[in-house]
Amino acid sequence: QVQLVESGGGLVQAGGSLRLSCVVSGSIFSRNAMGWYRQAPGKERDSVAGITSGGSANYASSVRGRFTISRDNAKNTVYLQMNSLKPEDTAVYYCAEFAYTIPTGTPRYWGQGTQVTVSS
């Protein structure tokens, strides 16, 4: 059974930083692309960043230059470093695992989400 467990969310002031972590168990983590998504109240869930099994990353235009996705295959963990946070970054952030080596299509597995709140 595949499980994704996020941590690291919380309340931060605008301009601050947070680092989210997602530990994956039950899958061959190193073979699969990973992604971070977010969902704000009343809005759809959107992709924030994705990373291939080889470590190549892509970002939504709204976070490019402020957020960094990375992975540690030895720890079965994917990270999202979030800097220069803005109130509009407030959302529930979800970790996701893809069935492929690149983050394309719909993820196969999801975490339970972690709340990030940025105060102005």
Side-chain angles (χ1 to χ4, degrees):
Q1 181 178 355
V2 177
Q3 289 189 316
L4 287 72
V5 180
E6 301 104 331
S7 62
L11 174 64
V12 64
Q13 289 188 334
S17 298
L18 283 174
R19 187 175 84 153
L20 306 182
S21 300
C22 173
V23 179
V24 181
S25 60
S27 75
I28 306 176
F29 177 79
S30 62
R31 293 186 182 178
N32 300 323
M34 299 295 299
W36 285 97
Y37 290 70
R38 67 185 181 187
Q39 186 168 21
K43 296 188 177 181
E44 294 185 353
R45 188 176 300 187
D46 292 325
S47 175
V48 174
I51 187 166
T52 69
S53 59
S56 296
N58 60 70
Y59 300 93
S61 58
S62 59
V63 307
R64 190 174 296 119
R66 299 188 297 123
F67 290 11
T68 302
I69 187 171
S70 62
R71 63 190 298 158
D72 185 337
N73 289 341
K75 297 182 178 180
N76 282 14
T77 302
V78 62
Y79 303 98
L80 186 68
Q81 177 67 44
M82 304 185 293
N83 298 329
S84 302
L85 283 161
K86 305 175 181 180
E88 51 263 44
D89 294 318
T90 295
V92 177
Y93 284 70
Y94 297 90
C95 172
E97 184 183 60
F98 292 83
Y100 310 106
T101 59
I102 58 174
T104 184
T106 302
R108 177 172 57 177
Y109 298 109
W110 294 90
Q112 81 287 352
T114 185
Q115 176 70 46
V116 171
T117 303
V118 185
S119 63
S120 57

